[in-house]
Amino acid sequence: MISNSYSIIFSVFFLRFISSSATQLAPALYVFGDSLFDSGNNNLLPTIARANYLPYGANFVNKSSTGRFTNGKTVPDFVAEFLGLPYSPPFLKIRDKLPLTGLNYASGSCGILPETGRPFGKCLNFEEQVSLFDETVKLLRRHFTSSKVLSNYLSKSIFIISIGSNDYLSRSLGTLSFNTNVRYTPQQFAQLLIEKLSHQFQRLYNLGARKIVMFEIGPIGCIPSITRKNKHTGRCVEDKNQLVSYFNNMLPTMLQNLTSCLEGSTFVNSHAHWLGYDAVINPPKYGLMDSSNPCCIAWFNGTSGCIPFLKPCSNANQHYFWDAYHLTEAMYSLFASHCINDKSFCEPFNLKELVKM
């Protein structure tokens, strides 16, 4: 449920209309997910899962640590540039205006399950993010000239989501409030996540979303936080990848079913896992020199977030990992470029095709 404070924010919003330019390929970009897509929402929540200090943002505009869990831009930033839109601002930072060009609801440490991320403090789980988008649509209704104009705006907007990694990390670390390893087999746990995800996608559709891109869960068994703790430095822990594969294998069917059942919708599956895994085991193929170690100096022998204000590596664009959990801007650029141009990566339509539909 949305807290009253979030609703109050809307009561003082001033909706700023921004006219579409000829270079805009879509009217807006709406972003949902976890720390892979968070652009600063967690800065305004009582949580230790934050990235609002250097060296985070060391390669971002003006070297500013905005709350992005990387050294520079994320996938949504590159997508926004492709669409001819400004970066979607974090929802919780907006106080005096609501841009028509989109918002970012993603929240670090959260997941599909409401329990995920709780040990770190408050975050916005996926259900809460969709509820905040519901509030956004209610505000938009007051300012569009008709429901038809609003529907057209939402139907042409792009919605991108990356969620689920933290649910698996929480399961492996035993930080969920219920023992999932006892209550659910790997297949049952994946089915639980898929069902909850599908329900939220249907909510987004009912609110007006039509063009939705969902990124697979990446090879989390390859992140330094796991490989180093398991004394497999530089190598992926395969059983973690196999657990994630149950979810990734169920995802395409669920998205295809939604596209078939929900009139006028297009659900796109982004194959982030295979590209991410290939880049880990074949880094030179992607212009990388290091696919094992964090670029920043991270807490606990390189198994956590960046230690504040310490100088990172000098060649971040040749590193796969920024800290022990998150990727560098170079990797996010790779994922975004493939989704924009490659219909075998984002299928059945890449973003170039999706915006024309």
Side-chain angles (χ1 to χ4, degrees), residues 218-356:
I220 60 174
C222 301
I223 63 177
S225 178
I226 289 179
T227 58
R228 287 176 175 238
K229 288 177 181 177
N230 287 276
K231 299 181 180 179
H232 286 277
T233 304
R235 301 180 63 184
C236 296
V237 182
E238 291 299 330
D239 60 333
K240 297 294 188 302
N241 293 327
Q242 290 167 7
L243 284 178
V244 167
S245 70
Y246 290 114
F247 177 91
N248 287 337
N249 290 340
M250 293 179 185
L251 186 61
T253 300
M254 182 265 279
L255 297 177
Q256 291 167 10
N257 288 341
L258 289 176
T259 299
S260 298
C261 296
L262 302 178
E263 184 180 358
S265 69
T266 304
F267 287 83
V268 173
N269 183 30
S270 177
H271 295 288
H273 189 279
W274 72 257
L275 180 60
Y277 185 72
D278 193 46
V280 167
I281 61 176
N282 298 301
K285 179 179 175 181
Y286 300 93
L288 303 173
M289 292 181 60
D290 190 322
S291 62
S292 304
N293 304 294
C295 176
C296 76
I297 301 174
W299 293 102
F300 308 115
N301 193 32
T303 62
S304 190
C306 298
I307 299 175
F309 310 119
L310 294 185
K311 187 176 180 179
C313 68
S314 59
N315 59 337
N317 63 335
Q318 295 178 322
H319 271 249
Y320 188 110
F321 295 104
W322 176 246
D323 61 16
Y325 293 98
H326 306 99
L327 313 183
T328 58
E329 178 185 80
M331 283 301 301
Y332 289 131
S333 175
L334 180 68
F335 285 122
S337 175
H338 273 70
C339 192
I340 291 167
N341 298 290
D342 186 354
K343 68 184 303 179
S344 68
F345 179 79
C346 276
E347 67 171 352
F349 304 103
N350 61 36
L351 280 173
K352 283 185 176 178
E353 296 169 323
L354 189 63
V355 295
K356 297 177 181 177

Side-chain angles (χ1 to χ4, degrees), residues 119-156:
F120 304 102
K122 173 61 182 173
C123 62
L124 305 173
N125 62 55
F126 191 45
E127 180 179 357
E128 290 176 312
Q129 293 177 33
V130 176
S131 293
L132 293 175
F133 179 67
D134 187 358
E135 292 293 330
T136 303
V137 174
K138 289 176 183 175
L139 181 69
L140 292 173
R141 284 198 191 106
R142 304 179 204 160
H143 296 273
F144 274 87
T145 57
S146 69
S147 58
K148 183 177 181 180
V149 174
L150 173 58
S151 296
N152 184 63
Y153 158 82
L154 292 172
S155 70
K156 294 183 180 301

